[in-house]
Amino acid sequence: MKKDKTSEDPEQSAISRRRLVKYAGVGATLAAASPLVGGGTAWAHDEDDRKQAKPGESRNRVWRAGDHHVHSEYSGSFDTSTNPPTFQKGGDAVYPIVTNAIMAKNFGLTWAMCTDHGGPTHSKVNLEQAYPDLLRSRTLVPEVLQFWGMEFDAPALDHHTLMIPHHRDEAQQLYELERRFAKNDPFPADPGRDTEAKMIEFLKAAKDMRQKPLVIAHHASRSAPGLGVYGQDTPREFRNGNNAAPEIYVGFEGAPGHQAGPLNGGDRGGYGNYPTHGGFDQMTARVGGLWDSLLGEGRRWWITATSDSHVHWTRGGSDFWPGEYSKTYVHARQDYADIMDGLRNGRIWVGTGDLITSLDLTASNQGHDAAVGETLTVSRRNRTDVEIEIRFKPLEGKNANGDRPQVRRVDLIVGQITGPSANLDSDTNPTTKVVARFGPRDWHKQKNEYVIRHTLRDVEGDLYARVRGTNTDEAEPLADGLESPWDDLWFYSNPVFVHVR
């Protein structure tokens, strides 16, 4: 049998992958992985994505699961009694970068991103300490595309993903952005860094870069004190940021990490002020709420789902491993550029607990069609019925909890696009409704997929359609308590747009 060049040689490894997965920890993983590294090659840079297909080409794209919010031991602590501050690994998150990559692979992810916290002079820590470990991890676990970036200390806001494109100067690019704009990087602290004007300056600088990063808000309502009341992140700030850099600032976590909190008596998502609904942030979970308000303006604003992994719940933390519970699926080829292109352009659906493993939403009219993130153009002069098709694949086998979850209902949600709102604080779209609910009797099987079809009759104006589904009997996702997250599973698509001309 021909040997796969990327496979592990059992004679080279002191510990098998299976044992490594079981006992993955701060020291064990690096010790186990080190025999796989040969003569310094682990530190070489990956090749640039120069020979890949162009991002706009759709060939060879499939749904690829990933996670853009994962912490390593470089989410540490700083001793500020020294100048410069002294960094200590493992102060907040505890796992080596390679551990996270191994676990991501184990739970079916093909891409992931290291997103460590900032802090005083952290830009230098990232550049000199964390990045070399990322290069080693890429060599040890080549099956997982491992993006470089950070959990950005966004000026005037809560944390955000700052994802850097994969290229030869990626480390320097992150260093410059963190050093110039992260609110916690200066030492001594600089209050002038923590303003919305600085956030807009950062987004404009990112937009002007040849290699364009991505920015996605984390746990956007975690600081919110109530339903429809916002904390650090507000509708106005999302609009202003998206206006400044619409191809950079593209969305927020629909389902935040820390979903294992209830397994240790804590809050799901770490949302101790106002809870998540079905594991999803109120900005996403409320039909006709903030997400729909942004979509109703025609904004290309997407949702994702992440682990925010720091410490696994079996070790007293509130987290699942990357991919163990939450997954962000991107329709892309297995290359860095196309994964980022999918995230930038909304070819995304998200799910928890592996309730399903594939989801396609298509709108069609007169022989033309569009999928999530895309726009279908309909002419008023022709028949304006829009056919909606939903396809999903159930999980074959068991999920990471040993369950065989079943989809009990799928909802089709439609809202009108009425253009920019005069009110930057608007957080509702009263036109958005659940237009149809489907149960098992409403879908039919085609090979290994289930198919649902629905017709939107006489479409007269611009709209968007999105889909969600669940294994519960809740008509709308209820506020979360201490129920097991494994009993409350949901999936959400991003929208497909319809433009009537």
Side-chain angles (χ1 to χ4, degrees):
M1 184 176 70
K2 187 176 181 181
K3 184 176 175 61
D4 182 352
K5 292 181 181 179
T6 64
S7 66
E8 177 183 347
D9 184 344
E11 295 179 359
Q12 287 185 306
S13 178
I15 299 179
S16 70
R17 285 284 193 221
R18 183 172 298 176
R19 288 178 62 199
L20 194 55
V21 163
K22 185 175 182 181
Y23 298 113
V26 176
T29 308
L30 286 179
S34 57
L36 303 180
V37 185
T41 58
W43 302 94
H45 284 258
D46 295 64
E47 297 257 348
D48 287 353
D49 292 314
R50 294 169 182 164
K51 297 181 180 179
Q52 304 290 353
K54 296 179 181 179
E57 296 178 5
S58 61
R59 57 190 173 91
N60 300 323
R61 284 177 176 162
V62 298
W63 289 115
R64 301 186 189 274
D67 186 339
H68 65 83
H69 186 178
V70 181
H71 290 262
S72 78
E73 61 190 337
Y74 290 103
S75 287
S77 59
F78 289 87
D79 178 359
T80 56
S81 67
T82 64
N83 190 1
T86 303
F87 176 71
Q88 298 168 327
K89 290 198 293 188
D92 190 16
V94 299
Y95 303 113
I97 293 172
V98 70
T99 299
N100 290 327
I102 290 167
M103 301 310 285
K105 176 187 172 185
N106 181 64
F107 289 110
L109 302 189
T110 70
W111 62 272
M113 180 180 166
C114 185
T115 51
D116 285 313
H117 292 296
T121 69
H122 183 261
S123 55
K124 192 174 182 181
V125 173
N126 254 343
L127 181 66
E128 297 177 354
Q129 298 183 47
Y131 185 65
D133 273 9
L134 175 77
L135 296 181
R136 168 177 282 193
S137 182
R138 283 175 172 170
T139 300
L140 292 171
V141 193
E143 302 88 348
V144 179
L145 300 181
Q146 298 172 56
F147 285 91
W148 183 230
M150 70 173 296
E151 183 166 51
F152 185 62
D153 302 317
L157 291 157
D158 206 336
H159 297 144
H160 284 56
T161 276
L162 172 53
M163 177 182 274
I164 302 298
H166 178 253
H167 62 105
R168 197 163 293 276
D169 296 322
E170 61 187 356
Q172 190 65 30
Q173 183 178 8
L174 178 62
Y175 173 74
E176 292 297 335
L177 286 171
E178 184 176 8
R179 183 184 62 82
R180 291 173 59 194
F181 298 108
K183 65 185 175 188
N184 293 335
D185 201 64
F187 183 78
D190 177 8
R193 292 282 282 264
D194 194 15
T195 67
E196 186 182 0
K198 197 69 177 179
M199 181 66 177
I200 298 300
E201 183 186 348
F202 155 70
L203 290 170
K204 288 181 176 178
K207 182 179 67 173
D208 290 340
M209 289 179 161
R210 185 175 68 88
Q211 300 281 358
K212 299 188 186 305
L214 278 175
V215 178
I216 299 170
H218 291 173
H219 39 70
S221 295
R222 192 168 71 181
S223 57
L227 184 63
V229 184
Y230 303 107
Q232 287 180 271
D233 293 354
T234 64
R236 175 183 295 266
E237 290 168 312
F238 289 143
R239 287 185 169 90
N240 288 340
N242 183 247
N243 288 344
E247 293 184 352
I248 305 295
Y249 198 22
V250 297
F252 47 49
E253 289 176 337
H258 303 314
Q259 292 278 337
L263 300 180
N264 280 328
D267 298 301
R268 198 165 173 185
Y271 278 45
N273 298 313
Y274 182 81
T276 51
H277 286 236
F280 281 71
D281 189 292
Q282 61 165 294
M283 292 181 179
T284 296
R286 293 173 65 198
V287 173
L290 177 56
W291 186 30
D292 289 312
S293 178
L294 298 171
L295 296 177
E297 294 182 289
R299 295 181 188 272
R300 272 45 181 173
W301 189 262
W302 321 120
I303 64 165
T304 61
T306 68
S307 66
D308 198 354
S309 177
H310 286 65
V311 180
H312 196 262
W313 71 270
T314 56
R315 298 188 177 187
S318 58
D319 306 321
F320 292 110
W321 290 111
E324 182 181 5
Y325 182 77
S326 300
K327 288 181 171 72
T328 294
Y329 286 86
V330 178
H331 201 240
R333 296 179 295 277
Q334 186 65 357
D335 71 68
Y336 287 91
D338 208 43
I339 295 288
M340 279 196 79
D341 184 76
L343 289 168
R344 200 182 305 276
N345 292 294
R347 301 193 304 273
I348 307 165
W349 69 270
V350 303
T352 57
D354 290 319
L355 179 57
I356 61 173
T357 60
S358 181
L359 176 64
D360 290 283
L361 169 64
T362 307
S364 60
N365 169 270
Q366 300 288 305
H368 301 281
D369 58 60
V372 290
E374 299 177 343
T375 302
L376 173 71
T377 299
V378 175
S379 172
R380 284 192 176 91
R381 291 175 294 180
N382 299 321
R383 183 176 177 87
T384 57
D385 288 354
V386 173
E387 304 296 332
I388 299 292
E389 183 180 84
I390 304 161
R391 289 178 174 266
F392 66 92
K393 292 180 183 178
L395 176 67
E396 295 180 7
K398 298 179 181 180
N399 63 16
N401 197 49
D403 302 327
R404 297 178 184 270
Q406 301 293 321
V407 180
R408 297 188 65 172
R409 195 187 72 253
V410 175
D411 296 334
L412 175 61
I413 300 167
V414 175
Q416 294 177 19
I417 299 174
T418 55
S421 173
N423 178 11
L424 291 176
D425 295 312
S426 175
D427 70 343
T428 61
N429 183 345
T431 72
T432 306
K433 300 286 191 298
V434 177
V435 299
R437 298 186 189 272
F438 308 99
R441 294 182 178 179
D442 301 310
W443 53 70
H444 65 277
K445 194 168 186 179
Q446 286 187 359
K447 296 183 179 179
N448 61 346
E449 291 184 312
Y450 289 108
V451 181
I452 300 168
R453 293 190 175 93
H454 181 82
T455 302
L456 301 177
R457 302 286 184 190
D458 301 320
V459 173
E460 297 179 351
D462 294 354
L463 58 80
Y464 64 90
R466 59 184 182 87
V467 167
R468 72 179 179 194
T470 182
N471 70 332
T472 74
D473 58 3
E474 299 172 8
E476 294 297 323
L478 300 177
D480 295 324
L482 290 178
E483 72 276 6
S484 170
W486 294 104
D487 297 332
D488 188 19
L489 306 181
W490 294 78
F491 60 81
Y492 284 64
S493 79
N494 274 283
V496 58
F497 300 93
V498 176
H499 171 60
V500 180
R501 65 180 181 187

